[in-house]
Amino acid sequence: MPQVPQTLDALAVRAWCGLALEALGRAREEIDAINVYPVADGDTGTNLYLTVESAVAAVEAVFAGHEAAGHGAGDGTMKPALAEVVRAMAHGALIGARGNSGTILAQLLRGMAQVLASDREAAHTDGPALRVALRHAADSAREAVAHPVEGTVLSVADAAADAATGAEGDCGTVARAAYEGARAALAATPGQLAVLERAGVVDAGGRGLVTVLAALVQTLTGEAPKHGTVPLTAPAPAQAVGTAVPEPEAVHARAPGDACEEGGPAYEVIYLLEADDTAVARLKERLDALGESLVVVGGDGLWNVHVHVDDAGAAVEAGVEAGRPYRIRITHFGAGDAHMAGAGRPPRERAPRAVVAVVPGEGLAGLYAEAGATTVVARPGEPPASGELVEAVRRAHAREVVLLPNDAELRHTAAAAAEQARAEGVRVALIPTRSAVQGIAALAVHEPDRRFDEDVVSMTSAAGATRYAEVVIAERESWTMAGICQAGDVLGLIDGDVAVIGSDVTATAESVLNRMLAAGGEMVTLVLGDEAPATIVDHLESRVRESYLAVDTVVYRGGRQGALLLIGVE
């Protein structure tokens, strides 16, 4: 039988993360089913699982790197320092945080890490330090939420910290007290939040946090909490009132149920942001004015931003003004978005049809979302996996889905995702778009009211009639269809093949555009990347006006999209 740690060290953190992931995996569907606040989109359990999964991956990477460097043999000898592991846990959760509850959980873990990593050389921590860590976690999570609401995961975290503060003993004793306090607070959430009471359930995010704390108890004591599974439904009113939970503060002027009633924001926007503290403070003010459910977590130059808005493009634009947003996720909320059984409401009916698209930059993510598409942002060098595309199809929650991979190299990945979605009962048509500009053309003719087959044929025809090109910088010397290029050369690729090798971005782009229009065209689409010269658009637009009569030009800002410029000719 493995020895139960009396203190929290690197191995205990590793075990805690693993047990929490396993427990959330078992509880994921149940937590999804009771998700009614702030939006009843049925994904809180999944979001918490994916957040912890990212934390686990970061922790395992630390141990793998430590062993690869010869500092250990995988048996715990010469293990990493506690500070290194908890910082990795927090960073992994931050970059992988999903949804409102996942983002708050990431901040809870970050708050704990800030305390536990304060002594960089310490091999472990004790009960009193764990009490401080839990208190700091709850406080920092509350500070990260623009308008805290009682009866949510924030109340559960506060109660856990309060209970831990009064516990004397080792880490196991403190963890058990925190768990019991959180469990009691969870049972009281329906009495604090009217939407939970109407649905007859406890808070989904709070339920997830109790699960994570139960895993901490098991890690530090060797025994799972005696209560077993946490109740999902609301207790009788007398039970809820009788639990020992601190009186909630009046911290939110809006009605707690506003966010999940009809008329709430249409989109959930999430992105990672590289920015300084001053820029983030301004960003919070702007996003708070744009929408609700605003949560901004992180620090030290890296933040995870979550907000519900009607104008997804404006939320992304605010991030661009503040710094460098990436891994942007935009989800459209359907009317009556509810996924729970036995919660007093029927499950949300699927939308008739949706479009799911992979896009290469944050600017295009906003454009696609405004056109009604569910987007998956592909960061340069980090193509999405089929699982991410399947998840996007699920988020779209439609009976029929048109899938636009917008990259020739993603065709097989998209095909695998389409097959999995079909196995789940979704009718999926994969249009083999090889560039985002082809996706724009397809989306422009999309008509959800016409028959599915006709819509797919029309979108496929529009994409196929669009030639595509990109202007990039060569990373290394290589042989191309246009000859040998050197690192730093400007390359113009037409339909995937290098057609022009140059030294000037604008001149190369003009040469590419001339070649494309030589075969005719009615519309030129230019998608400008962050690194492109500021004058390139004016130059190319002038060139089209002067040399190609009756050809229109439309320009979009693509953000950090990898290519300096994307060109489409229809």
Side-chain angles (χ1 to χ4, degrees):
M1 180 177 178
Q3 184 177 1
V4 177
Q6 300 301 311
T7 58
L8 189 65
D9 62 5
L11 285 175
V13 172
R14 184 188 200 183
W16 175 33
C17 290
L19 287 173
L21 185 64
E22 292 175 6
L24 287 171
R26 293 190 298 270
R28 180 183 62 80
E29 292 184 1
E30 292 178 345
I31 297 174
D32 282 347
I34 63 169
N35 173 201
V36 298
Y37 184 85
V39 174
D41 48 357
D43 62 0
T44 290
T46 299
N47 288 336
L48 290 170
Y49 178 87
L50 292 171
T51 301
V52 174
E53 184 180 46
S54 183
V56 168
V59 168
E60 291 301 324
V62 169
F63 276 88
H66 201 73
E67 292 170 13
H71 298 308
D75 58 359
T77 59
M78 296 294 290
K79 57 181 177 288
L82 172 64
E84 185 180 6
V85 174
V86 294
R87 282 198 299 265
M89 172 188 70
H91 180 74
L94 176 68
I95 65 174
R98 306 291 183 95
N100 190 70
S101 294
T103 307
I104 293 174
L105 177 60
Q107 186 69 359
L108 288 167
L109 296 179
R110 176 179 169 81
M112 290 187 69
Q114 286 175 326
V115 173
L116 299 178
S118 58
D119 184 349
R120 295 186 178 183
E121 303 302 323
H124 56 79
T125 194
D126 55 13
L130 182 57
R131 291 201 304 265
V132 175
L134 290 167
R135 179 74 269 164
H136 184 64
D139 292 344
S140 60
R142 185 171 285 273
E143 291 171 3
V145 178
H147 300 282
V149 174
E150 302 306 329
T152 65
V153 63
L154 296 176
S155 302
V156 176
D158 278 338
D162 290 342
T165 299
E168 298 292 337
D170 61 14
C171 286
T173 302
V174 173
R176 190 178 295 278
Y179 166 78
E180 294 294 347
R183 192 174 187 276
L186 177 65
T189 55
Q192 297 173 289
L193 200 52
V195 65
L196 301 179
E197 187 175 30
R198 289 196 300 269
V201 297
V202 296
D203 179 66
R207 164 71 161 87
L209 177 58
V210 171
T211 301
V212 172
L213 290 173
L216 181 61
V217 172
Q218 185 175 355
T219 299
L220 295 170
T221 68
E223 298 178 354
K226 294 179 182 179
H227 292 299
T229 57
V230 181
L232 298 176
T233 55
Q239 291 175 293
V241 173
T243 52
V245 180
E247 187 68 19
E249 301 176 55
V251 294
H252 188 31
R254 305 174 191 171
D258 285 351
C260 54
E261 299 295 339
E262 290 186 10
Y267 299 98
E268 177 186 58
V269 179
I270 304 174
Y271 50 80
L272 291 179
L273 177 69
E274 295 174 357
D276 59 35
D277 292 0
T278 302
V280 169
R282 292 195 300 268
L283 173 67
K284 288 180 180 179
E285 293 180 2
R286 180 169 179 187
L287 291 180
D288 193 29
L290 282 175
E292 55 190 50
S293 295
L294 174 62
V295 185
V296 180
V297 305
D300 301 321
L302 180 62
W303 309 81
N304 191 305
V305 179
H306 169 281
V307 68
H308 294 172
V309 293
D310 282 319
D311 190 343
V316 174
E317 181 182 346
V320 173
E321 292 179 1
R324 298 183 67 88
Y326 59 97
R327 291 194 184 180
I328 298 167
R329 295 167 54 82
I330 299 175
T331 304
H332 181 262
F333 294 130
D337 212 346
H339 292 301
M340 58 280 193
R345 301 183 190 178
R348 170 168 68 103
E349 184 177 350
R350 290 182 181 273
R353 189 174 307 159
V355 175
V356 173
V358 180
V359 292
E362 61 275 2
L364 286 181
L367 172 68
Y368 271 72
E370 288 174 0
T374 298
T375 61
V376 178
V377 178
R379 191 181 183 190
E382 297 182 12
S386 61
E388 292 181 72
L389 301 187
V390 173
E391 184 190 345
V393 171
R394 291 171 181 154
R395 283 190 282 122
H397 201 63
R399 292 190 295 271
E400 300 169 340
V401 171
V402 179
L403 184 56
L404 306 175
N406 290 341
D407 187 334
E409 296 183 2
L410 286 178
R411 183 170 182 177
H412 295 299
T413 300
E419 282 302 314
Q420 184 173 342
R422 291 182 188 117
E424 297 178 5
V426 182
R427 188 181 184 188
V428 181
L430 171 60
I431 297 179
T433 50
R434 293 168 289 175
S435 171
V437 291
Q438 288 189 321
I440 291 173
L443 202 55
V445 299
H446 169 54
E447 292 185 16
D449 293 333
R450 101 183 126 190
R451 287 197 314 113
F452 185 61
D453 291 338
E454 292 177 356
D455 196 28
V456 171
V457 168
S458 178
M459 294 176 73
T460 302
S461 177
T466 302
R467 300 191 69 194
Y468 66 96
E470 58 182 327
V471 178
V472 300
I473 302 297
E475 296 180 356
R476 63 184 67 86
E477 179 183 355
S478 60
W479 184 88
T480 74
M481 295 293 290
I484 298 176
C485 72
Q486 304 296 323
D489 283 348
V490 182
L491 305 182
L493 291 82
I494 299 177
D495 295 336
D497 293 325
V498 176
V500 180
I501 300 175
S503 57
D504 179 77
V505 174
T506 301
T508 302
E510 181 180 345
S511 179
V512 168
L513 187 55
N514 286 336
R515 292 192 183 204
M516 297 177 76
L517 288 173
E522 298 176 354
M523 170 73 75
V524 171
T525 300
L526 303 175
V527 182
L528 195 65
D530 278 347
E531 305 301 323
T535 59
I536 190 171
V537 168
D538 289 340
H539 181 86
L540 294 179
E541 285 185 310
S542 296
R543 174 63 178 162
V544 172
R545 282 196 305 269
E546 294 169 1
S547 303
Y548 302 96
L549 298 177
V551 175
D552 295 324
T553 304
V554 61
V555 180
Y556 301 110
R557 300 284 172 174
R560 186 165 54 174
Q561 61 185 18
L564 297 173
L565 180 70
L566 300 178
I567 303 173
V569 174
E570 300 176 44

